[in-house]
Every structure is written in C-alpha cells, then in structure tokens.
Amino acid sequence: MKKLALFAGLSLLAFTGCNDDDAPEQIFPLVGTWSPTKEVKTQVPADGVGFSDEIVYTDCQKESRWVFNENSSGKRTNRDMAGTITPTCSTISERNFTYVYNSSEKNFEIKYQGTVVADKGKVTLLDAETLNLKIEDTTDPTIYKSTTYTFKRIPQ
C-alpha cells in the first residue's frame, strides 16, 4: 500500500510539475504593410476629468497604408474621399519616415521627412494581424494627449 501511495504521489507530481507558464512570448514583427481601421484620441487635463473619442475609419480611409521596412524607413499614405462634384477615394497625402522600434520595451519613434519633431509612443499590441500604436503629445505638460491607432496587417 505504501508503494501505491508513493507511486500515486510521484505521478501527481509529474503531471502537475510541468506547465506552459514558462513558454517564451511569441514576437511578431512590426515590419510590414498595415491598414488603419480606427483611432482613439484621449485627453486628460490636470484636473483628471478627461475624455476619449473613437474614430472608426471609412472603407476609403482603410485603404490608407503605413509601411514599415526592415531598414527602419517607411511610408505613410493617407486616402480619403476627395472632389466636390463626384467624390472619389483618392490619395490625399504621402509622407516618408524613419522609425526606431525597441521591441523589448515596446517604445517607438517616427520621424517624418522634413520635420524636426518626432512622434513618440508605445506599441500597445502587436500580433500576427493587429497593431496598436499609441502616440503621445507632450507639447502641453498640463494636458495628457494621446492618439492610439489600430491597424490590420495587409498580407504580402
């Protein structure tokens, strides 16, 4: 009976001793082509009474692209309805940029060509299909402002 109890105890230990909690976190690349689907603008003044606005993009706006290349360069192409008589979905702006992304700390910086000021923020979500970039505006220290963009990966 003692052997049976010892065997049962060891078996229980063997089954409960292994877990997947130590499995390494899967890392997905920022590199790729992304389509914006929405943005959330947040403002919180010093008194703490803030607000957030969610802006869901139109089908035309979802044709916009943010491309992050392996060499830390990229291009942002914005599309929207343009024209007065018969509006059509058109490219309304294109901007080249360089970026720095620290995948372990999730920090990033985007600097658009021809500008001195960089957009800084965090990657709050990055998986196989979705990217959330939160850009913080620190120009006014009395009001916290951020814009969080949600993107869908465009397969290549």
Side-chain angles (χ1 to χ4, degrees):
M1 192 68 168
K2 287 183 185 180
K3 289 182 182 180
L4 182 59
L6 179 61
F7 176 73
L10 288 175
S11 296
L12 181 63
L13 180 63
F15 286 117
T16 60
C18 298
N19 64 36
D20 290 338
D21 292 344
D22 297 333
E25 179 182 334
Q26 188 169 1
I27 297 176
F28 296 94
L30 178 64
V31 170
T33 302
W34 299 89
S35 168
T37 58
K38 70 177 181 177
E39 67 184 71
V40 176
K41 293 185 176 280
T42 302
Q43 288 190 21
V44 182
D47 66 8
V49 180
F51 66 90
S52 289
D53 285 331
E54 180 176 342
I55 302 163
V56 178
Y57 286 9
T58 65
D59 288 341
C60 179
Q61 291 169 321
K62 290 177 184 178
E63 291 180 16
S64 299
R65 298 292 183 261
W66 291 38
V67 178
F68 292 89
N69 299 313
E70 288 188 34
N71 65 357
S72 296
S73 70
K75 186 173 190 175
R76 179 178 175 176
T77 304
N78 291 331
R79 293 183 56 86
D80 207 344
M81 297 303 287
T84 54
I85 298 173
T86 53
T88 59
C89 185
S90 304
T91 298
I92 58 170
S93 68
E94 289 184 327
R95 299 170 74 186
N96 293 318
F97 61 83
T98 57
Y99 70 95
V100 177
Y101 174 54
N102 180 329
S103 60
S104 61
E105 294 182 17
K106 309 291 187 211
N107 295 329
F108 77 91
E109 180 177 287
I110 296 176
K111 188 171 187 180
Y112 291 98
Q113 188 174 17
T115 62
V116 177
V117 179
D119 287 337
K120 297 179 181 181
K122 283 202 170 282
V123 171
T124 58
L125 172 67
L126 176 57
D127 62 27
E129 297 178 4
T130 306
L131 166 65
N132 283 354
L133 291 180
K134 180 170 75 171
I135 297 173
E136 298 175 318
D137 179 351
T138 58
T139 55
D140 183 349
T142 64
I143 300 175
Y144 172 81
K145 293 181 184 179
S146 70
T147 302
T148 302
Y149 296 94
T150 298
F151 298 91
K152 179 180 138 192
R153 187 183 296 273
I154 303 298
Q156 298 298 321

